């Protein structure tokens, strides 16, 4: 297994703020790519959060500890157990690997991840959620209207 990763700075649609911060207009993430010997690629993303003392740099530090030869799309559970031995924290980094391993495993099975995990899919049944940050009432109203679609 080959491991590569890169840091990305995402531009947010709206400034993100909570009551104890001045807010931010960007979010740093780290994307991981796992490539097996057959050339199959699994992608994952770490979205570190300061709440858990995580940064893009701490995610990259964890990624550098990983021996990619210990990872396998056919042995996701064993791969995750190995990653757990490297650190009791670093949850966003481990999440990125979990997503990449599942992505690769699902691709190997020639299934979308939701079918690989037995979740099924029905049009207009599965929805997503997101948070609209604190702001002035008129700005929140605009954000809600923009998000309606």
């Amino acid at each position: 297994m080959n491991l590569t990763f890169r840091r990305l700075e995402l531009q947010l649609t709206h400034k993100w703020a909570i009551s104890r911060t001045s807010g931010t207009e960007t979010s740093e993430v780290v994307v991981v790519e796992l490539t097996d010997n057959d050339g199959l690629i699994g992608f994952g993303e770490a979205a570190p959060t300061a709440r858990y003392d995580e940064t893009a740099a701490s995610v990259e530090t964890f990624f550098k500890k990983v021996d990619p030869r210990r990872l396998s799309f056919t042995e996701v559970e064993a791969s995750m157990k190995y990653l757990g031995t490297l650190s009791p924290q670093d949850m966003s980094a481990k999440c990125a690997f979990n997503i990449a391993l599942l992505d690769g495993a699902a691709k190997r099975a020639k299934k979308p991840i939701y079918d690989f995990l037995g979740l099924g899919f029905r049009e207009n049944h599965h929805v997503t959620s997101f948070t609209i940050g604190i702001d002035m009432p008129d700005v929140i109203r605009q954000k809600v209207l923009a998000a309606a679609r």
Side-chain angles (χ1 to χ4, degrees):
M1 185 79 69
N2 186 44
L3 162 64
T4 59
F5 57 90
R6 66 187 177 282
R7 190 185 300 202
L8 299 175
E9 185 173 72
L10 304 179
Q11 183 66 43
L12 303 178
T13 302
H14 301 284
K15 183 177 182 178
W16 173 253
I18 59 175
S19 61
R20 65 182 180 273
T21 69
S22 61
T24 184
E25 295 181 10
T26 61
S27 178
E28 263 193 323
V29 300
V30 185
V31 175
V32 64
E33 294 180 25
L34 298 175
T35 308
D36 72 5
N37 293 334
D38 297 326
L40 189 70
I41 301 172
F43 295 96
E45 178 185 316
T49 178
R51 180 177 183 176
Y52 300 111
D53 295 323
E54 297 175 332
T55 63
S58 71
V59 168
E60 290 174 332
T61 297
F62 180 85
F63 284 2
K64 290 173 185 174
K65 293 180 190 178
V66 175
D67 178 355
R69 297 170 298 179
R70 304 274 311 262
L71 305 176
S72 170
F73 295 143
T74 58
E75 298 292 333
V76 174
E77 188 175 336
S79 298
M80 292 307 298
K81 284 183 181 177
Y82 159 68
L83 293 170
T85 67
L86 300 178
S87 168
Q89 287 87 29
D90 298 296
M91 300 312 277
S92 65
K94 291 178 203 173
C95 180
F97 276 105
N98 191 230
I99 294 166
L101 289 163
L102 289 171
D103 184 43
K107 286 175 179 173
R108 180 161 302 292
K110 297 183 179 4
K111 295 181 178 183
I113 289 179
Y114 56 81
D115 282 342
F116 181 75
L117 295 174
L119 300 175
F121 182 82
R122 291 178 293 172
E123 196 65 41
N124 297 318
H125 179 75
H126 294 81
V127 295
T128 188
S129 66
F130 56 93
T131 303
I132 295 176
I134 295 172
D135 215 318
M136 300 303 296
D138 60 323
V139 175
I140 292 174
R141 189 174 299 105
Q142 290 171 8
K143 289 178 183 181
V144 170
L145 291 172
R149 63 187 184 297

